[in-house]
Amino acid sequence: MHSEAKLAINLMQLKLPAASPSPTPLLDLAPLTPQEAFAKSPGIGENVFGNMSVFDAIQTQVFPALYRSDESVLICAPSGSDTLTAAEFAICRNCMTKPTSRIVYLCPVEILRENVKKRWQSHFKDLLSREINCLTGDISADLKILEASSIVLADPRHWDLLTRRWKQRKIVQTVSLVIADLLHYLGRSDIGPQYEISLSGSSFV
């Protein structure tokens, strides 16, 4: 680099960031069946997962964390993996433990939100006390939609608008579960920043 001088730098006191935890290895578990998973709540197994004979390896491994705890869970799986079924484990738990609360599903792709809405209207029609709806981006209308719904599906930008004043909006505080799909969109310049802000705005859940 054509340097003419050298300066020694003492790195002994350098504070390095904490090492990221290693990914959880995929365990060699026997595939879990809906009947086994929901033995104490057979109605859930039949109504929500009746079209499945067994859960796949990823779904089997994440089931205890999503259905038997309230911990935050990050699922990173190959494209084509049915992670939506894993999200439904958390929805089932929420319906049983917090039936009056609300659930938010964030996804930046409109056609996927519409497909998920149709799927959940079929799967959860007997478990939910209120409707399943999509936010519109109009704050006044969306507050009414949230109040009338058990599950709302939203573009991250619409959810960001709704949660900016969450301390004043009591209905927003009734949300107890947020499901964020397609997190790899965080790296996109068109939607990534808004998606990140909408997730940070959900920290009250």
Side-chain angles (χ1 to χ4, degrees):
M1 298 177 63
H2 307 287
S3 299
E4 297 182 0
K6 294 182 179 180
L7 176 64
I9 301 176
N10 184 0
L11 301 180
M12 296 299 294
Q13 303 301 321
L14 182 66
K15 293 183 179 180
L16 296 175
S20 300
S22 301
T24 305
L26 187 60
L27 304 177
D28 185 17
L29 301 175
L32 191 64
T33 68
Q35 292 75 21
E36 293 170 336
F38 301 97
K40 296 183 179 180
S41 304
I44 293 179
E46 295 174 1
N47 295 333
V48 182
F49 307 102
N51 62 334
M52 303 180 67
S53 56
V54 295
F55 298 127
D56 65 25
I58 294 175
Q59 294 160 0
T60 297
Q61 181 158 326
V62 301
F63 177 81
L66 291 170
Y67 187 70
R68 296 175 184 153
S69 81
D70 291 322
E71 297 296 324
S72 297
V73 177
L74 173 65
I75 302 175
C76 300
S79 299
S81 300
D82 187 8
T83 53
L84 198 60
T85 292
E88 291 170 351
F89 298 156
I91 294 175
C92 290
R93 175 178 175 80
N94 200 86
C95 290
M96 295 181 63
T97 60
K98 303 170 185 176
T100 61
S101 66
R102 287 161 177 81
I103 299 166
V104 172
Y105 170 79
L106 299 177
C107 177
V109 180
E110 182 177 2
I111 189 170
L112 181 55
R113 292 197 303 272
E114 289 297 328
N115 291 338
V116 171
K117 178 183 176 182
K118 293 177 183 178
R119 169 171 168 163
W120 286 354
Q121 284 176 331
S122 172
H123 286 190
F124 296 109
K125 60 183 178 181
D126 296 327
L127 287 179
L128 303 175
S129 58
R130 295 180 296 272
E131 302 174 355
I132 299 177
N133 293 302
C134 294
L135 298 186
T136 64
D138 180 274
I139 295 179
S140 298
D142 286 346
L143 287 171
K144 295 178 181 178
I145 290 173
L146 182 59
E147 184 174 5
S149 306
S150 288
I151 300 178
V152 293
L153 302 93
D155 183 288
R157 288 164 287 203
H158 298 165
W159 182 239
D160 172 40
L161 291 174
L162 207 60
T163 56
R164 288 182 182 179
R165 296 176 57 196
W166 64 269
K167 290 184 178 180
Q168 289 76 34
R169 294 169 179 160
K170 299 298 183 182
I171 191 65
V172 175
Q173 298 178 36
T174 64
V175 174
S176 60
L177 174 63
V178 175
I179 300 167
D181 204 353
L182 302 183
L183 283 178
H184 58 277
Y185 274 61
L186 288 171
R188 291 182 47 160
S189 59
D190 57 340
I191 185 62
Q194 292 93 332
Y195 204 169
E196 185 174 356
I197 290 173
S198 70
L199 291 176
S200 64
S202 302
S203 59
F204 61 89
V205 176

